[in-house]
Amino acid sequence: MKLSKMLINTLRETPAEAEIASHQLMLRAGMMRKMASGIYNYMPLGLRVLKKIEDIVRDEMDKTGAQEFLASAVLPSELWKESGRWEVFGPEMFKLKDRNQREFCLGPTHEEVFTDIARNEIKSYKQLPLNLYQIQTKYRDERRPRFGIIRSREFVMKDAYSFDKDYEGLDISYNKMYEAYHNIFKRCGLICKCVEADSGAMGGSGSAEFMVKSKIGEDEIAFCTACEYAANIEKAPSTPEHSEKEDLKEINKIATPGVKTIDELINFFKTTSKKFAKTLIYKADDRVVAVMVRGDREVNEVKVVNALGGAIEFDMADPAIVKSATSAEVGFAGPIGIKVDALFVDEEIANMYNFIIGANETGYHFENVNYGRDFEGKLGDFRKAVEGDKCPKCGKPMTMARGIEVGHIFKLGTKYSETMGANFLDEKGDSKPLIMGCYGIGVNRTMATVIEQNHDENGIIWPLSIAPYQVIVIPAVTKDEEQVRIADEIYNKLQQMGIEVLLDDRDERAGVKFKDADLIGIPMRITVGKKVKEGNVEFKLRNASNIELINIDEIYERVVEEFKKNNLSL
Amino acid sequence: MKLSKMLINTLRETPAEAEIASHQLMLRAGMMRKMASGIYNYMPLGLRVLKKIEDIVRDEMDKTGAQEFLASAVLPSELWKESGRWEVFGPEMFKLKDRNQREFCLGPTHEEVFTDIARNEIKSYKQLPLNLYQIQTKYRDERRPRFGIIRSREFVMKDAYSFDKDYEGLDISYNKMYEAYHNIFKRCGLICKCVEADSGAMGGSGSAEFMVKSKIGEDEIAFCTACEYAANIEKAPSTPEHSEKEDLKEINKIATPGVKTIDELINFFKTTSKKFAKTLIYKADDRVVAVMVRGDREVNEVKVVNALGGAIEFDMADPAIVKSATSAEVGFAGPIGIKVDALFVDEEIANMYNFIIGANETGYHFENVNYGRDFEGKLGDFRKAVEGDKCPKCGKPMTMARGIEVGHIFKLGTKYSETMGANFLDEKGDSKPLIMGCYGIGVNRTMATVIEQNHDENGIIWPLSIAPYQVIVIPAVTKDEEQVRIADEIYNKLQQMGIEVLLDDRDERAGVKFKDADLIGIPMRITVGKKVKEGNVEFKLRNASNIELINIDEIYERVVEEFKKNNLSL
């Protein structure tokens, strides 16, 4: 393609709306444009990258024997009411009505659709295992769309659903996807890590996320510094500390008027946050639940929901509920005499001595409280793991990092097949629910994440495998007939070789062309300049700083060499 | 792909919901499944065909230098309010609100989006001409979705938008699309005809539709029997007939109590419908309009709207409006004394003598009425052309047929660029509106239409270019080891040759396999049966009746021969 014919507008200024590198660079390089909050249009250059990622995904999925399918984006509410998720998604689901007032949504995910297809099409174990996937547009009305296409409202996902006759089969299907995902991200030039994820209380016997470490990531991950272990913070276990042993003192009620927060308490009692146990009140669907953790810890809500056996809605309780549970204003909750449906106590609390809690009476706290003697609850791991907590595999300390989730694989089990009646007849003729897995990749998000990992101050550095074009040929001086002629020649020959090549034939200074080539991130740059008189052109890799002077006849081989180095065929 | 591993359910019975061949066969062959009224899921086999059509479209578009783009499907209302089309689409537009109550629609078409992109990205004539296209999902909440994917509510369209600096440029862009469309439909194996279409009153200097003749078509087309002329009925001119000359008689009011319809009038006056002129009252936005045509003719509403210079809403007036315009009940309207904003008179009326009209008085008609003497109006061609009307090119009689529109090319001119301020600077530095064209292809509809044209009582007959698989290999007796081994061998070798091949390795009788192969329409069938003992296999083309007995070693060449015959490369 000749740049003079191409719709491309590069921006020198960083758009104010973009906070992170990938978002800034995609706008500056003219890869996409904003249509509305969290909704983008893909310009020709950006779309080429997106399609290449899709092709890699498709190729790796096909290799596993998965079959491509395409579901509609507009989905009837009936399916979602059947699974019970019509209300669960809340405002994140775009809902609409047709001219006959029938309710639909724009699919945020497709478990219901694929389960419906499976119950209609799969009759016998002979049809199993089966893996159906699609590369399709999904919709989530995010409360806070941000970071460009990392968190957008209309996005392309590859989602796959596996169907097996037993859990051994599911393990095989799951492992195939695990391998395929590794291959996909590797081929996209993305360095990512597979971390254990929480699989929820309902169904699900295993779950892992493919995370790209990034300071802008919305997920927190715990990594072991010594072994391979890594987990989403929701899943990572904490290690209960043991406080120094003390003799048990007598419990004592103290007037603490207006002293509510941990900081105020520290100040009042002149001690550290480790001497306090805080009690938080939650609303879990129609249950009221209290959770106790040490004063300096954070509750891990996912662990609490799992201990509850699941909850559709789980949130901090409002003051009215707190008051009715504790008979006190917010800030004085404690375990003694609390009226809740369940009291969960982080196991660390049982290792503390003579600590301070709220007295369930406005303006009062208890001091010298001890677990077992003064109160009891359901002990367990209910707090967020922190730096230094021990790796559950090898016992060495874990460290924390932020990550962007690009993929997720999940053993669903029979969650949807049981609810929706997706059964098959096994070898004995018995009807059994299908054993399902689901597997997702954020295609646009992958694109943005590759940029997060591959850029410098001058622009994007596309991996050769997904670059919009692989080579850019630049005649340095557009008025120099010989330079133009040789550049044309190289451009044409590379095209004939099946290479995707740009010719920057615009009437611009060489400096402008170099800046644009760097910004849009073309992996190989061939400059036809003064040295063409000696039969040489300049060859520069986007991800290297040196310029190679190469004989015109040998330039083609040099380009091919890069394909070989990257294990790409022509 | 081995059929035993594939999700395929063929149906022997014709589903009751499907009225036409393509819809029935796509369901029976397991190409798609209904999700909701007018909304379908594509099963693996159907999706392969859809993707192949998309690839042909993409290839031909790219050849013209058009650049692929991808707009969102969810579009902000602001753009549509700017163009004035937010209300125009009426209930056909799916509208929705996001969590912040902002209004959006699911794009039924994308003129506004592309005009918006153009006004932001195109600054200078140097960037022109430009053609942007996308292959994207569109939404129209049809009043009556039907015929499967011929008229559906969620569908894939290729839409392209050209931008030029002048009308000469638009002609070139338009002609390129015309050529590309011919190539696309030809490559898809579709026989279609390009017919002149109405380009509307507002903007638009040319418009043509690609029509596939079909008795289930929703469009009516006029064809010349002698020359190449063809037009949509909306556009086709009528030829005014001359009634036999008579002496003008004196106008006479006749009491016709309760006689309202043309049939009742024929009976009452004991004459033919050609002796009457009927007057129809329409509401065109806020204007009231009367249209007169001969008693046996039909009004061509598109011609009337064009004569009005356009109308957003155009419908038969309700009885209250009729009464206020005619001072009579419905059934007695006539031109004399009528109170309307415009009176359009089909030119044929001026060639009639002593005819009968409504008297604008309940229960009365006038007889012996003559145009010019008794009333006047705006004369023109306002009726639908019929069989026998003369071809505007050669004067020979035209004939009528029904057609399915698969493509539409349209010279928009400055309609959107002026309304939305999409301007560029020309050579002299003057700001001018971009000259636009728009070009659409219904991708799913093309798929269904190919089936309409290519099927028999046994199933679909895919053209080789878009067949989901090109060859199916069938071992006749699954228990025969030699047959199975040779079938496997042929299957593997064909795959290595890059041919898309199915192996029917299911444990079914040969008859069942043949029936399925015919139903899903695979172009070439290789049967490995008893004759394999003599080194031969059977080769059958889906679109031929004879079976060729071919030596195993020569079967590959026979397959390749078909690719050559169809001008397809391997």
Side-chain angles (χ1 to χ4, degrees):
Chain A
M1 186 93 199
K2 292 183 178 176
L3 268 181
S4 65
K5 304 280 180 204
M6 190 161 190
L7 180 62
I8 174 163
N9 277 318
T10 52
L11 313 173
R12 292 283 166 260
E13 310 266 300
T14 300
E17 68 188 273
E19 304 166 59
I20 61 165
S22 61
H23 190 189
Q24 291 167 353
L25 289 171
M26 285 185 73
L27 292 174
R28 285 189 51 207
M31 301 260 162
M32 68 176 194
R33 292 291 183 249
K34 183 175 163 183
M35 177 88 273
S37 169
I39 299 177
Y40 293 89
N41 294 325
Y42 290 83
M43 307 291 282
L45 272 184
L47 183 59
R48 289 178 74 95
V49 178
L50 205 61
K51 291 273 173 210
K52 288 198 175 187
I53 297 174
E54 286 183 12
D55 286 344
I56 289 174
V57 169
R58 188 172 280 121
D59 185 49
E60 292 293 336
M61 291 304 293
D62 288 346
K63 276 189 199 161
T64 68
Q67 292 168 62
E68 193 172 356
F69 179 97
L70 183 64
S72 62
V74 169
L75 303 176
S77 62
E78 288 81 359
L79 274 183
W80 298 83
K81 287 176 178 166
E82 204 182 330
S83 74
R85 292 209 293 179
W86 181 250
E87 299 302 336
V88 173
F89 268 95
E92 205 173 283
M93 193 187 244
F94 279 109
K95 291 178 178 172
L96 68 159
K97 286 183 180 170
D98 74 0
R99 65 197 300 151
N100 300 315
Q101 301 305 308
R102 280 193 59 181
E103 289 179 307
F104 291 85
C105 71
L106 301 182
T109 175
H110 276 74
E111 281 81 5
E112 281 79 356
V113 174
F114 281 78
T115 309
D116 180 55
I117 288 288
R119 70 180 164 187
N120 293 328
E121 307 289 333
I122 300 176
K123 305 293 172 205
S124 153
Y125 72 95
K126 288 182 200 164
Q127 293 170 271
L128 303 175
L130 187 70
N131 187 324
L132 293 175
Y133 76 98
Q134 61 178 353
I135 297 175
Q136 192 258 6
T137 307
K138 303 229 176 306
Y139 296 88
R140 290 186 195 163
D141 194 359
E142 297 282 351
R143 181 166 13 196
R144 233 186 115 196
R146 60 179 186 154
F147 297 155
I149 53 172
I150 285 185
R151 183 167 292 278
S152 57
R153 300 200 288 174
E154 174 172 327
F155 55 96
V156 177
M157 233 178 105
K158 187 285 298 176
D159 47 333
Y161 304 86
S162 67
F163 302 93
D164 280 281
K165 62 178 181 175
D166 51 33
Y167 280 91
E168 291 72 41
L170 172 58
D171 287 343
I172 295 169
S173 298
Y174 181 88
N175 290 337
K176 272 189 189 174
M177 287 298 107
Y178 177 89
E179 290 298 328
Y181 276 36
H182 265 294
N183 295 341
I184 287 166
F185 295 123
K186 196 175 164 199
R187 283 177 65 182
C188 291
L190 205 55
I191 300 162
C192 70
K193 198 161 173 73
C194 187
V195 312
E196 287 184 16
D198 181 69
S199 50
M202 293 158 78
S205 47
S207 170
E209 289 160 343
F210 289 78
M211 288 280 187
V212 175
K213 274 196 208 179
S214 164
K215 60 182 189 304
I216 60 130
E218 295 188 329
D219 283 275
E220 204 178 341
I221 325 162
F223 289 89
C224 178
T225 45
C227 77
E228 275 296 288
Y229 181 79
N232 192 306
I233 194 74
E234 294 178 343
K235 168 88 174 178
S238 68
T239 321
E241 262 186 27
H242 286 263
S243 310
E244 207 175 320
K245 194 153 186 185
E246 297 174 18
D247 291 333
L248 308 195
K249 297 184 191 161
E250 199 171 329
I251 188 167
N252 191 18
K253 192 195 276 185
I254 308 274
T256 52
V259 179
K260 294 175 184 179
T261 67
I262 288 289
D263 281 344
E264 288 164 352
L265 284 164
I266 288 170
N267 205 30
F268 183 91
F269 282 98
K270 311 267 182 270
T271 180
T272 73
S273 55
K274 294 189 180 183
K275 281 303 270 184
F276 297 91
K278 58 188 174 190
T279 305
L280 291 96
I281 320 282
Y282 290 90
K283 183 99 177 21
D285 297 335
D286 49 5
R287 287 178 288 180
V288 178
V289 175
V291 186
M292 284 187 82
V293 293
R294 205 171 72 184
D296 59 331
R297 304 300 196 185
E298 274 182 75
V299 171
N300 181 326
E301 297 183 356
V302 171
K303 291 177 180 172
V304 177
V305 170
N306 287 346
L308 278 166
I312 288 171
E313 289 189 61
F314 187 82
D315 265 314
M316 292 297 292
D318 58 41
I321 293 175
V322 172
K323 190 153 189 185
S324 117
T326 65
S327 319
E329 300 297 330
V330 172
F332 301 95
I336 299 172
I338 196 164
K339 284 167 282 177
V340 289
D341 298 303
L343 170 63
F344 293 107
V345 181
D346 186 64
E347 49 200 351
E348 206 166 51
I349 305 278
N351 302 337
M352 290 167 69
Y353 298 94
N354 303 322
F355 52 93
I356 300 159
I357 61 173
N360 288 334
E361 186 179 341
T362 304
Y364 289 92
H365 279 79
F366 286 120
E367 63 173 5
N368 301 329
V369 177
N370 289 281
Y371 183 81
R373 185 191 72 180
D374 302 322
F375 72 95
E376 282 189 330
K378 191 173 176 216
L379 283 179
D381 175 4
F382 299 114
R383 74 163 169 92
K384 261 196 184 173
V386 292
E387 197 98 24
D389 272 332
K390 284 180 191 141
C391 167
K393 287 228 169 124
C394 74
K396 291 275 157 40
M398 295 192 292
T399 183
M400 302 290 149
R402 300 207 72 83
I404 302 169
E405 183 192 325
V406 288
H408 194 169
I409 57 178
F410 198 102
K411 293 183 185 176
L412 285 173
T414 57
K415 177 174 172 183
Y416 292 93
S417 50
E418 280 192 357
T419 317
M420 296 180 62
N423 301 314
F424 70 100
L425 292 180
D426 71 5
E427 287 88 336
K428 294 178 196 151
D430 294 335
S431 178
K432 297 237 172 106
L434 287 159
I435 315 292
M436 290 174 59
C438 72
Y439 316 93
I441 287 180
V443 177
N444 325 62
R445 184 181 283 187
T446 296
M447 177 175 172
T449 311
V450 169
I451 300 177
E452 286 294 323
Q453 270 189 358
N454 298 277
H455 70 272
D456 61 16
E457 66 281 12
N458 299 317
I460 302 168
I461 305 173
W462 288 117
L464 192 57
S465 57
I466 62 169
Y469 289 87
Q470 296 144 349
V471 179
I472 184 164
V473 180
I474 300 179
V477 179
T478 322
K479 304 241 176 330
D480 184 309
E481 278 180 31
E482 190 182 10
Q483 288 183 19
V484 168
R485 185 176 50 79
I486 300 288
D488 260 17
E489 202 177 291
I490 295 172
Y491 167 71
N492 288 324
K493 176 133 184 219
L494 287 172
Q495 271 195 324
Q496 283 158 21
M497 290 165 67
I499 289 164
E500 295 165 315
V501 52
L502 284 175
L503 176 68
D504 195 345
D505 60 338
R506 296 175 302 169
D507 187 14
E508 294 281 3
R509 286 179 302 110
V512 170
K513 295 182 181 181
F514 292 157
K515 273 205 157 60
D516 278 347
D518 280 357
L519 179 56
I520 62 179
I522 306 302
M524 294 180 244
R525 187 179 86 195
I526 298 170
T527 309
V528 183
K530 280 183 292 187
K531 305 253 169 63
V532 79
K533 296 225 175 291
E534 297 138 34
N536 290 327
V537 294
E538 288 177 5
F539 179 87
K540 185 182 174 300
L541 292 175
R542 177 67 182 86
N543 64 1
S545 53
N546 62 311
I547 293 173
E548 305 167 38
L549 202 63
I550 294 183
N551 188 279
I552 296 172
D553 296 336
E554 288 161 15
I555 193 70
Y556 309 104
E557 206 175 305
R558 182 67 190 86
V559 169
V560 170
E561 196 185 316
E562 286 304 310
F563 278 82
K564 285 187 188 150
K565 254 198 249 172
N566 286 275
N567 288 317
L568 296 173
S569 57
L570 261 179
Chain B
M1 184 93 198
K2 294 182 178 178
L3 268 181
S4 64
K5 305 279 181 205
M6 192 160 187
L7 180 63
I8 176 165
N9 278 318
T10 52
L11 314 172
R12 292 284 164 261
E13 311 265 301
T14 300
E17 68 188 272
E19 303 165 60
I20 61 165
S22 59
H23 190 188
Q24 291 166 353
L25 289 171
M26 285 185 72
L27 292 175
R28 283 188 52 206
M31 301 261 163
M32 68 176 195
R33 293 291 183 248
K34 183 175 163 183
M35 176 88 274
S37 169
I39 299 177
Y40 293 89
N41 294 325
Y42 290 84
M43 306 291 282
L45 272 184
L47 183 60
R48 289 178 74 94
V49 178
L50 204 62
K51 291 273 171 209
K52 287 196 177 189
I53 296 174
E54 286 184 11
D55 286 344
I56 289 173
V57 170
R58 188 170 281 123
D59 185 48
E60 291 293 336
M61 291 303 294
D62 288 345
K63 277 188 199 161
T64 69
Q67 292 166 61
E68 193 172 357
F69 177 97
L70 183 64
S72 63
V74 169
L75 304 176
S77 61
E78 288 81 359
L79 275 184
W80 297 83
K81 287 176 178 166
E82 205 182 329
S83 74
R85 293 209 293 179
W86 182 250
E87 299 302 335
V88 173
F89 268 94
E92 207 173 281
M93 193 187 245
F94 279 109
K95 291 178 179 172
L96 68 158
K97 286 184 180 167
D98 74 0
R99 63 196 303 151
N100 301 315
Q101 301 306 308
R102 282 194 58 181
E103 287 178 309
F104 291 85
C105 72
L106 301 183
T109 174
H110 276 75
E111 281 81 5
E112 281 79 356
V113 173
F114 282 76
T115 309
D116 180 54
I117 288 287
R119 71 179 163 186
N120 293 328
E121 307 288 333
I122 301 176
K123 306 294 171 204
S124 154
Y125 72 95
K126 290 183 198 163
Q127 295 170 270
L128 303 174
L130 187 71
N131 188 322
L132 293 175
Y133 77 97
Q134 61 177 353
I135 297 175
Q136 194 257 5
T137 308
K138 303 231 177 303
Y139 296 88
R140 291 188 195 162
D141 195 0
E142 298 281 350
R143 184 167 10 199
R144 231 186 116 198
R146 61 179 186 154
F147 296 155
I149 54 172
I150 284 184
R151 184 166 292 278
S152 57
R153 301 200 287 173
E154 173 171 327
F155 55 97
V156 177
M157 233 179 106
K158 188 285 297 175
D159 47 335
Y161 304 86
S162 67
F163 303 92
D164 279 282
K165 61 179 181 174
D166 51 32
Y167 281 91
E168 292 71 42
L170 172 58
D171 286 344
I172 296 169
S173 297
Y174 181 89
N175 290 338
K176 273 190 187 173
M177 287 299 106
Y178 177 90
E179 290 299 327
Y181 277 35
H182 266 294
N183 295 341
I184 288 165
F185 295 124
K186 196 176 162 199
R187 285 177 64 182
C188 292
L190 206 54
I191 299 161
C192 68
K193 199 163 172 72
C194 186
V195 313
E196 286 185 16
D198 181 70
S199 49
M202 293 158 76
S205 47
S207 169
E209 290 161 344
F210 288 79
M211 288 279 189
V212 175
K213 275 196 207 179
S214 164
K215 60 183 191 301
I216 61 131
E218 296 189 329
D219 284 274
E220 204 177 344
I221 324 163
F223 290 90
C224 177
T225 45
C227 77
E228 276 296 291
Y229 181 80
N232 192 305
I233 194 74
E234 294 177 346
K235 167 89 175 176
S238 68
T239 321
E241 263 187 25
H242 286 263
S243 309
E244 208 175 321
K245 193 153 187 181
E246 297 173 20
D247 292 332
L248 306 196
K249 297 184 192 160
E250 199 173 327
I251 189 167
N252 191 21
K253 194 196 274 185
I254 309 274
T256 53
V259 179
K260 294 177 185 180
T261 67
I262 287 289
D263 282 345
E264 288 164 353
L265 285 163
I266 289 170
N267 206 30
F268 182 91
F269 284 98
K270 310 269 181 269
T271 181
T272 73
S273 56
K274 293 188 181 185
K275 281 303 270 183
F276 297 91
K278 59 188 174 191
T279 305
L280 291 97
I281 320 283
Y282 289 90
K283 183 98 175 23
D285 298 334
D286 47 5
R287 288 178 286 182
V288 178
V289 175
V291 187
M292 285 188 80
V293 293
R294 203 171 73 184
D296 60 331
R297 302 300 197 186
E298 274 182 75
V299 171
N300 180 325
E301 299 183 355
V302 171
K303 291 177 181 172
V304 178
V305 171
N306 288 345
L308 278 166
I312 288 171
E313 288 187 61
F314 187 83
D315 264 314
M316 293 296 291
D318 58 41
I321 293 175
V322 172
K323 191 153 188 185
S324 116
T326 66
S327 318
E329 300 296 328
V330 172
F332 301 95
I336 299 172
I338 196 164
K339 285 167 282 179
V340 289
D341 299 302
L343 170 63
F344 295 107
V345 181
D346 186 64
E347 49 200 350
E348 205 166 53
I349 304 280
N351 303 337
M352 291 167 70
Y353 298 93
N354 303 323
F355 50 95
I356 299 157
I357 60 172
N360 288 334
E361 187 179 339
T362 303
Y364 290 92
H365 279 79
F366 286 120
E367 62 172 6
N368 300 331
V369 177
N370 289 281
Y371 183 80
R373 184 192 72 180
D374 301 322
F375 71 96
E376 283 188 328
K378 190 174 175 211
L379 283 179
D381 175 5
F382 299 114
R383 72 161 170 93
K384 261 195 183 174
V386 294
E387 198 99 23
D389 274 333
K390 284 182 190 138
C391 167
K393 288 228 169 126
C394 74
K396 293 277 160 36
M398 294 192 292
T399 183
M400 302 290 150
R402 301 207 69 84
I404 301 169
E405 182 193 326
V406 287
H408 193 168
I409 57 179
F410 198 100
K411 293 183 185 174
L412 285 173
T414 58
K415 178 175 172 183
Y416 292 92
S417 49
E418 280 192 356
T419 317
M420 295 179 63
N423 301 314
F424 69 101
L425 294 181
D426 72 3
E427 288 88 337
K428 294 177 197 153
D430 294 335
S431 179
K432 299 236 172 106
L434 288 159
I435 315 291
M436 291 173 59
C438 72
Y439 316 93
I441 288 180
V443 177
N444 325 62
R445 184 182 282 186
T446 296
M447 177 174 172
T449 312
V450 169
I451 300 176
E452 286 294 322
Q453 269 189 359
N454 298 277
H455 69 273
D456 61 16
E457 66 281 11
N458 299 318
I460 302 168
I461 306 174
W462 289 117
L464 192 56
S465 58
I466 62 169
Y469 290 87
Q470 296 145 350
V471 179
I472 185 164
V473 180
I474 299 179
V477 179
T478 321
K479 303 240 175 332
D480 184 308
E481 277 180 32
E482 190 181 10
Q483 288 183 18
V484 169
R485 185 176 51 78
I486 300 287
D488 261 17
E489 200 176 293
I490 295 173
Y491 167 70
N492 288 324
K493 177 132 184 223
L494 287 172
Q495 270 196 324
Q496 283 157 22
M497 289 166 67
I499 289 164
E500 295 166 315
V501 52
L502 284 175
L503 176 69
D504 195 346
D505 59 337
R506 298 174 301 169
D507 187 15
E508 294 281 2
R509 285 177 303 108
V512 169
K513 294 182 182 182
F514 293 158
K515 272 205 158 62
D516 278 346
D518 280 357
L519 178 56
I520 63 178
I522 306 302
M524 295 180 243
R525 187 179 86 195
I526 297 171
T527 309
V528 183
K530 277 183 294 191
K531 305 254 170 62
V532 77
K533 297 224 173 295
E534 296 138 35
N536 291 328
V537 294
E538 288 177 6
F539 179 86
K540 185 182 173 298
L541 291 175
R542 177 68 182 85
N543 64 359
S545 54
N546 62 311
I547 292 173
E548 306 167 37
L549 204 61
I550 294 182
N551 188 279
I552 295 171
D553 297 335
E554 287 160 17
I555 193 70
Y556 309 103
E557 207 176 304
R558 181 66 191 86
V559 169
V560 170
E561 196 184 315
E562 285 303 310
F563 277 82
K564 287 187 188 149
K565 254 197 252 173
N566 286 275
N567 289 316
L568 295 174
S569 57
L570 260 180

